[in-house]
Amino acid sequence: METNINTITNSEGGFILKVPNKYLDSKVIFTLLGYNTRVIPLSELTKENNKIKLYEAVTELSEVSITTYKNAESLVRKVFEDKYRNLQDESVYMTAFYRETIKRSNRNVSLTEAVVNILKQPHTSSQRDAIKLGKVRKSRDYKRLDTVSVKLQGGPFSTIYLDLMKYPEYIFTDESIGSYDFSFGDASTINNRNVYVVNFRSKNSGLNYNYTGKLYIDVQSLALVSAQYALDVSNKSKTKNLLVRKKPRDIIVYPLEANYRVDYKARGGKWYYSYSNLSLKFKVNKKRQIFNKVYTLASEMAITDWEINIKDKKIKNKDRLRPSVIITDAISGFSDPDFWGEYNLIEPDKSIESAIEKIRNSIRKEKEKQKGKNGTS
């Protein structure tokens, strides 16, 4: 049975997957970029110490696929021109798990986690997506933040705006796309489907912001499957204080790294936003201080469930999160400990997908409780 239940391994390949009893007869699909997909019945897996081996895929595109798009730029333009054929044409109500961490050097100084609801608008609509905070918690080490009062602009919108197909204007507009050099990389596979790999980089420094990265495009549907890219931060005069919402006058913030990723998943012949992350590293210069401080902001959001908005669900204006929000200012302390339960502290270095699986039952119980209240009212 096809479900939205998913997880992603950590850097060492470890994962946790919790499955409701009604799905125990289902199969688990294991995928990795460049490797053959493997499907294993859930009944063949044990509760612990499973070792799943994937085999590298040998990708051979047909002669037609190779010769159709000799020009990588024409392929990228085709992806954006035909996006309405591949993307959802109705609103989607999503549940997602969001995490934001701030580190000073290599030590965590701030951790924010939230279950959020997203009203994802159709790609044919000019309306922006709406986000509502659900269950939220945060922890901060003020001793390591009190020397520098810098507010880094973040929050769930920082990850939702990485959806290139909904918000292409942040990188590829009709005017700016010609300012990039596109070239084909070695073809690969994702979920046993062949994908074009397109490298891109800006031709010159004429753009306000210059990016370099890779696009993974499904050969059959020409849908964007994944994008991984980075902002060129070499020009300090152009990028200083970029992405900083608030700061004292005697401080200058220089970005050292800015890396981004967005993934999509197919369901019912359509492709949906599924996951995104960003990692920003800053150097903070303060007058009359000899040593500079380096901070890292990492944000990621993964969709845990979604449904076509048949019931026309709305997010009220009073509940909508502002795109300019500084998430650590929007909430205070760890909230609703009964909801987080025994997982009231999830290690910041663990993938958020493992955190999702740990609290998935809590999310489900919360929904059932809400339905029960509505049914008796």
Side-chain angles (χ1 to χ4, degrees), residues 320-338:
R320 294 190 176 207
L321 205 61
R322 290 177 290 104
S324 59
V325 68
I326 297 170
I327 193 67
T328 53
D329 288 346
I331 58 175
S332 59
F334 275 60
S335 61
D336 199 352
D338 292 337

Side-chain angles (χ1 to χ4, degrees), residues 103-119:
K103 291 184 178 182
R104 177 176 160 188
S105 298
N106 292 321
R107 293 185 59 180
N108 288 292
V109 295
S110 177
L111 168 64
T112 304
E113 295 177 324
V115 178
V116 301
N117 294 117
I118 306 169
L119 182 58

Side-chain angles (χ1 to χ4, degrees), residues 43-91:
S43 58
E44 295 183 9
L45 300 177
T46 59
K47 291 185 177 180
E48 296 179 345
N49 301 322
N50 293 285
K51 293 185 178 180
I52 312 300
K53 187 173 183 178
L54 300 181
Y55 296 90
E56 191 170 356
V58 178
T59 305
E60 294 183 1
L61 298 183
S62 68
E63 185 176 347
V64 174
S65 297
I66 295 173
T67 57
T68 301
Y69 293 101
K70 286 185 177 179
N71 184 310
E73 181 180 329
S74 65
L75 171 60
V76 175
R77 288 183 180 275
K78 184 71 172 174
V79 170
F80 285 96
E81 288 171 1
D82 291 356
K83 67 178 183 179
Y84 301 120
R85 181 167 53 87
N86 290 313
L87 303 173
Q88 94 268 9
D89 52 6
E90 65 283 294
S91 62

Side-chain angles (χ1 to χ4, degrees), residues 19-281:
V19 181
N21 289 332
K22 63 180 179 180
Y23 296 134
L24 293 182
D25 293 331
S26 301
K27 297 178 180 179
V28 183
I29 302 173
F30 297 89
T31 64
L32 180 64
L33 178 64
Y35 287 77
N36 287 323
T37 296
R38 188 169 178 186
V39 180
I40 300 177
L42 196 60
S43 58
E44 295 183 9
L45 300 177
T46 59
K47 291 185 177 180
E48 296 179 345
N49 301 322
N50 293 285
K51 293 185 178 180
I52 312 300
K53 187 173 183 178
L54 300 181
Y55 296 90
E56 191 170 356
V58 178
T59 305
E60 294 183 1
L61 298 183
S62 68
E63 185 176 347
V64 174
S65 297
I66 295 173
T67 57
T68 301
Y69 293 101
K70 286 185 177 179
N71 184 310
E73 181 180 329
S74 65
L75 171 60
V76 175
R77 288 183 180 275
K78 184 71 172 174
V79 170
F80 285 96
E81 288 171 1
D82 291 356
K83 67 178 183 179
Y84 301 120
R85 181 167 53 87
N86 290 313
L87 303 173
Q88 94 268 9
D89 52 6
E90 65 283 294
S91 62
V92 182
Y93 197 79
M94 295 177 161
T95 301
F97 189 79
Y98 174 80
R99 164 180 282 168
E100 177 180 303
T101 59
I102 300 176
K103 291 184 178 182
R104 177 176 160 188
S105 298
N106 292 321
R107 293 185 59 180
N108 288 292
V109 295
S110 177
L111 168 64
T112 304
E113 295 177 324
V115 178
V116 301
N117 294 117
I118 306 169
L119 182 58
K120 204 83 173 63
Q121 299 293 351
H123 286 75
T124 53
S125 171
S126 60
Q127 288 184 292
R128 295 261 160 164
D129 300 327
I131 299 178
K132 178 178 70 173
L133 286 177
K135 304 297 181 180
V136 190
R137 62 186 184 176
K138 79 172 182 180
S139 175
R140 301 187 74 183
D141 184 350
Y142 287 96
K143 291 181 180 179
R144 297 188 62 80
L145 283 177
D146 59 3
T147 56
V148 179
S149 259
V150 173
K151 302 291 188 182
L152 302 177
Q153 185 168 333
F157 276 101
S158 65
T159 49
I160 204 74
Y161 284 161
L162 298 182
D163 180 359
L164 289 182
M165 302 311 295
K166 174 67 176 176
Y167 304 103
E169 64 269 22
Y170 289 113
I171 297 186
F172 300 128
T173 64
D174 292 338
E175 295 76 20
S176 68
I177 199 168
S179 299
Y180 285 90
D181 276 325
F182 297 93
S183 62
F184 284 111
D186 293 335
S188 188
T189 60
I190 297 179
N191 296 339
N192 277 0
R193 295 170 68 102
N194 291 337
V195 293
Y196 295 108
V197 179
V198 176
N199 306 305
F200 67 91
R201 61 191 299 272
S202 58
K203 293 178 180 178
N204 51 58
S205 57
L207 298 173
N208 289 333
Y209 306 115
N210 300 303
Y211 294 92
T212 180
K214 294 179 181 290
L215 304 175
Y216 299 88
I217 301 167
D218 184 69
V219 170
Q220 183 177 349
S221 65
L222 297 188
L224 183 66
V225 180
S226 180
Q228 299 173 24
Y229 53 102
L231 174 67
D232 180 3
V233 295
S234 59
N235 189 330
K236 289 187 176 181
S237 63
K238 183 180 289 188
T239 59
K240 71 176 181 181
N241 299 327
L242 183 66
L243 303 176
V244 176
R245 189 73 182 170
K246 297 177 182 177
K247 70 175 187 66
R249 291 182 179 179
D250 61 344
I251 282 178
I252 299 178
V253 182
Y254 294 102
L256 302 177
E257 295 178 6
N259 300 301
Y260 309 90
R261 171 185 163 186
V262 60
D263 296 335
Y264 299 87
K265 283 190 176 179
R267 186 183 183 193
K270 296 291 184 179
W271 293 79
Y272 297 83
Y273 164 80
S274 174
Y275 173 83
S276 60
N277 70 40
L278 61 89
S279 177
L280 310 174
K281 182 177 286 188

